[in-house]
Amino acid sequence: MARFLEQHVRESYRWLDHRDCYSELLAVHPAYKAGRDNYEHNLEHSAFPRIWYARQEADVLRFAEKHQTERMVCIGLNPRSGILKNERGYARAAREDEIVVSKSLLLDFDIPGDGSRQKQKNELATYLETEMPSYFSDLGFEEPTIADSGNGMHVLCAYPAVPTSEAPDIASRLSKFASEVRQDHQAILSRLEAQLDTTQDLRRMLKVYGTAKLNGPVSRWPGRERVEDEALRDYLLNMAMPDEYPATLRGQYGRVGLVIGGELPESFQRLLHRDSKLKELWEGRGKPERSDQSGSGYDYSLVKRAMQIGYRDLDGLATVLALFPKGSVRASGKGELYIRRTIANALVR
């Protein structure tokens, strides 16, 4: 089976519409470990992330083809206004506040597990391909693009560019819309034990279509061309936004960066019953004697274990950290930046 699908790379890049701007590209090695303490490890394994900025389709194709056999290759959902460099002159990743326009919505549906749940994924794909066009049509929007992400499914929508200088809370608006979609389709998601990630960071990176994680399935683009939806743009900019969100999640990413619930997600509660290690961590026990026994140490271990057994809904993980009785959010009042950092560390380590 082909592991690199050139036409899928090309067509998906064109859909993103990064013309007259730059595309941030990232190649992540499976052995990479974050943090200064892991410098020697990353050096020994040549595992440091490779970051590049592309201005045209051919550059994206070359980067993807060069790295896809050994690394996961990603591209920024939104364009970058220029090439970003660190103090030593090397290309670096964009920060959230450096994204100047938002022009695409990504709804990331996932079937957690070890890749053995193909039947559930097929059913999810059939449901999305059948129901999403009518769902968006009923709202007065254009038909979305539905793509196979490899382990899950993506629903993508395009709209005319929204400058972040004019709508600094656009990420919050996208997150609220994603939450509405999740609520409207919760029945099928619960039945399939599927998840919809409602996090909408503007600097979001996604795996390049037509490539794969190592030993994973290849993501595929359906051949759709970009159709920008004026009605969706107007809806996002005019939707009513709550005045207040839980204090622990207010921070520098706008009025809200993550959506938190008041109760543990049912899917996480089911994992607590099924996985004894996760249950031990939730109860504040089970870590080795010489490991970090602090609240933040248990926060990290809890999130890491949840991810290892397939739970990767970012809003759900944020809710878990905010409600964790033994954790630092409850004990010390730590907020959004801490929650984001804890989840990010668990993702890359």
Side-chain angles (χ1 to χ4, degrees):
M1 180 182 294
R3 303 294 295 169
F4 180 73
L5 306 175
E6 178 179 328
Q7 193 62 23
H8 292 243
V9 178
R10 292 184 180 276
E11 291 178 353
S12 59
Y13 169 75
R14 294 169 193 166
W15 187 94
L16 290 173
D17 190 29
H18 290 181
R19 291 174 298 172
D20 303 321
C21 295
Y22 289 87
S23 299
E24 181 183 334
L25 300 171
L26 174 67
V28 183
H29 196 281
Y32 173 69
K33 294 183 179 180
R36 294 181 180 178
D37 293 343
N38 293 306
Y39 178 85
E40 294 298 332
H41 166 88
N42 293 327
L43 185 65
E44 178 184 353
H45 293 84
S46 299
F48 290 106
R50 308 285 173 81
I51 300 174
W52 194 255
Y53 285 86
R55 193 67 188 267
Q56 55 189 358
E57 183 177 310
D59 296 332
V60 176
L61 190 66
R62 279 195 294 270
F63 185 89
E65 191 167 18
K66 176 181 179 180
H67 293 292
Q68 55 87 28
T69 57
E70 296 182 349
R71 297 168 179 258
M72 181 175 68
V73 184
C74 302
I75 186 170
L77 179 66
N78 288 305
R80 296 356 184 192
S81 59
I83 299 175
L84 300 169
K85 297 182 179 181
N86 61 23
E87 63 277 4
R88 293 182 294 171
Y90 295 112
R92 64 166 175 83
R95 298 190 301 267
E96 182 79 357
D97 60 1
E98 292 174 325
I99 308 302
V100 298
V101 297
S102 169
K103 59 193 310 182
S104 300
L105 165 70
L106 169 65
L107 300 175
D108 184 0
F109 292 85
D110 189 32
I111 301 286
D114 59 3
S116 63
R117 303 180 64 192
Q118 187 63 41
K119 181 179 179 181
Q120 288 94 325
K121 180 192 169 182
N122 292 343
E123 188 172 346
L124 174 65
T126 299
Y127 177 83
L128 295 177
E129 291 165 357
T130 303
E131 298 298 328
M132 280 295 163
S134 59
Y135 175 79
F136 275 80
S137 177
D138 289 345
L139 292 172
F141 303 151
E142 298 285 346
E143 181 178 334
T145 296
I146 300 170
D148 185 337
S149 66
N151 290 322
M153 299 296 296
H154 286 169
V155 174
L156 300 104
C157 304
Y159 47 86
V162 176
T164 55
S165 59
E166 298 176 12
D169 64 346
I170 185 61
S172 299
R173 294 175 177 275
L174 291 166
S175 183
K176 184 172 185 288
F177 180 77
S179 295
E180 292 173 355
V181 174
R182 181 171 64 182
Q183 181 176 354
D184 291 341
H185 299 273
Q186 190 58 52
I188 186 68
L189 295 179
S190 296
R191 184 168 66 80
L192 296 176
E193 296 185 45
Q195 299 169 0
L196 168 56
D197 180 359
T198 60
T199 303
Q200 295 291 327
D201 288 352
L202 298 181
R203 67 161 307 278
R204 172 72 177 263
M205 305 293 291
L206 68 155
K207 185 174 62 179
V208 172
Y209 295 100
T211 66
K213 292 182 180 179
L214 295 185
N215 302 318
V218 178
S219 60
R220 296 173 180 271
W221 187 253
R224 292 283 302 278
E225 295 184 356
R226 185 180 181 90
V227 177
E228 294 190 335
D229 192 340
E230 291 271 5
L232 176 59
R233 185 184 191 274
D234 290 343
Y235 179 85
L236 292 169
L237 294 178
N238 291 288
M239 69 194 316
M241 297 292 289
D243 292 330
E244 294 292 337
Y245 287 93
T248 55
L249 292 182
R250 288 200 297 270
Q252 69 180 37
Y253 296 95
R255 280 184 287 178
V256 67
L258 293 168
V259 178
I260 187 171
E263 299 179 352
L264 281 181
E266 291 184 4
S267 52
F268 182 81
Q269 293 183 47
R270 288 195 294 269
L271 289 179
L272 284 177
H273 289 295
R274 295 206 311 250
D275 189 85
S276 59
K277 178 62 175 177
L278 187 69
K279 190 172 188 297
E280 283 184 348
L281 292 169
W282 178 256
E283 293 172 350
R285 54 191 179 87
K287 286 174 64 69
E289 283 187 9
R290 295 186 179 181
S291 64
D292 185 354
Q293 301 288 325
S294 67
S296 59
Y298 267 94
D299 284 337
Y300 172 81
S301 296
L302 182 72
V303 172
K304 186 66 175 179
R305 180 58 184 173
M307 290 182 176
Q308 288 173 342
I309 58 178
Y311 191 82
R312 288 179 170 263
D313 181 87
L314 298 186
D315 286 344
L317 290 169
T319 300
V320 168
L321 284 176
L323 299 179
F324 182 25
K326 308 294 183 180
S328 290
V329 177
R330 279 288 185 89
S332 306
K334 292 185 177 180
E336 179 188 3
L337 292 179
Y338 170 80
I339 289 174
R340 282 180 175 274
R341 186 168 62 248
T342 300
I343 296 173
N345 287 339
L347 278 168
V348 300
R349 291 182 181 176

